Amino acid sequence: YAFVTPKGWREGDGVLQNLERIGESFDIYMNGKLTRTEKAMVNLCRRLDVSANVQEGTNTLVVALRHDGRRHFWQDSIDWYLTEHTVGITGPVHLEFTGPCYLRRAHVMTYLEPKPHLVYETKVVNLSDAPRKLTLSCVIAGAPKVADKVVEASPGETTVRTTFDWSAPHLWSPADPYLYNADFTLSEGVARRDALRTRFGLREVKAKGQGMY
């Protein structure tokens, strides 16, 4: 696959690959050079950093399946052992172009006891060689305001974790599968560096004795 970097993108900025559906182990080559190696996984392969070896202008990206026997099923494929469900890239693929800092992922964990509260965890990536002072904000419509968090991001990856109480959330249930959107924004001064949205519901499941509650 050949692509051209967008205007304003410079070497040292980020290039993220999203593979919505791939059930086997694979290698990613950028301009003929091995960029990363991944084992088969159940989770969607989103925001994989393929920045290494990208140059300004035209580039060539290759995803090579390894056929190492590792495969994973998908929720809509109970007969996962059939090769048509697990071989090859069977979902959309797209690239994202970022600056030198971006959010690799955002994950929301929900708890109802001893009182309702949320924990969100994000991975902030700094591709530059120097520390950067960033601001991470999280907005959830219908939830209490979450204070912005200042992140001293060293080169590499920094994990940011925040907990806040929520007195009366709208709970998810099979009869009322209500979901919230959590919008994360990463800024440096007045410049917005990245944004990411994740959806979640509030539901607690417990194992007690032989049953699930």
Side-chain angles (χ1 to χ4, degrees):
Y1 172 75
F3 67 92
V4 179
T5 55
K7 184 178 180 180
W9 187 94
R10 298 175 297 177
E11 291 188 30
D13 288 349
V15 180
L16 310 178
Q17 184 174 17
N18 295 271
L19 292 160
E20 299 290 339
R21 185 166 174 151
I22 183 169
E24 292 188 87
S25 301
F26 59 93
D27 298 321
I28 297 176
Y29 293 85
M30 187 68 70
N31 295 321
K33 297 179 180 179
L34 180 64
T35 300
R36 67 184 299 147
T37 295
E38 297 288 340
K39 293 181 179 179
M41 60 185 73
V42 175
N43 294 330
L44 302 181
C45 299
R46 290 181 175 167
R47 300 210 130 197
L48 299 177
D49 189 343
V50 295
S51 309
N53 306 316
V54 177
Q55 58 194 14
E56 292 184 56
T58 302
N59 297 265
T60 301
L61 171 68
V62 174
V63 179
L65 302 180
R66 287 209 302 276
H67 302 297
D68 58 2
R70 293 177 178 267
R71 291 179 184 168
H72 280 294
F73 64 90
W74 300 92
Q75 291 179 349
D76 60 351
S77 301
I78 297 176
D79 51 345
W80 59 274
Y81 53 86
L82 297 179
T83 57
E84 62 263 29
H85 291 300
T86 57
V87 172
I89 300 171
T90 57
V93 179
H94 66 276
L95 294 176
E96 295 180 71
F97 297 90
T98 73
C101 301
Y102 68 88
L103 297 169
R104 186 172 69 81
R105 75 164 200 162
H107 180 54
V108 178
M109 294 160 280
T110 63
Y111 302 90
L112 298 180
E113 293 185 359
K115 57 183 178 180
H117 66 283
L118 295 185
V119 177
Y120 76 72
E121 182 179 283
T122 58
K123 304 288 186 180
V124 177
V125 177
N126 176 9
L127 296 174
S128 66
D129 296 328
R132 304 180 86 110
K133 188 175 183 178
L134 307 170
T135 301
L136 178 66
S137 64
C138 175
V139 176
I140 303 172
K145 179 175 173 54
V146 184
D148 292 347
K149 197 171 186 70
V150 176
V151 181
E152 299 289 347
S154 300
E157 186 172 278
T158 301
T159 299
V160 181
R161 190 179 176 95
T162 299
T163 301
F164 64 95
D165 295 335
W166 193 347
S167 60
H170 188 151
L171 301 183
W172 181 97
S173 70
D176 181 18
Y178 190 87
L179 295 176
Y180 287 95
N181 287 321
D183 291 299
F184 296 87
T185 303
L186 186 67
S187 303
E188 186 173 23
V190 297
R192 192 176 85 161
R193 294 301 183 192
D194 197 16
L196 193 60
R197 167 175 282 188
T198 186
R199 302 182 75 193
F200 68 94
L202 286 93
R203 176 80 174 185
E204 191 168 65
V205 179
K206 295 181 181 179
K208 185 177 180 181
Q210 300 295 318
M212 298 286 290
Y213 302 91

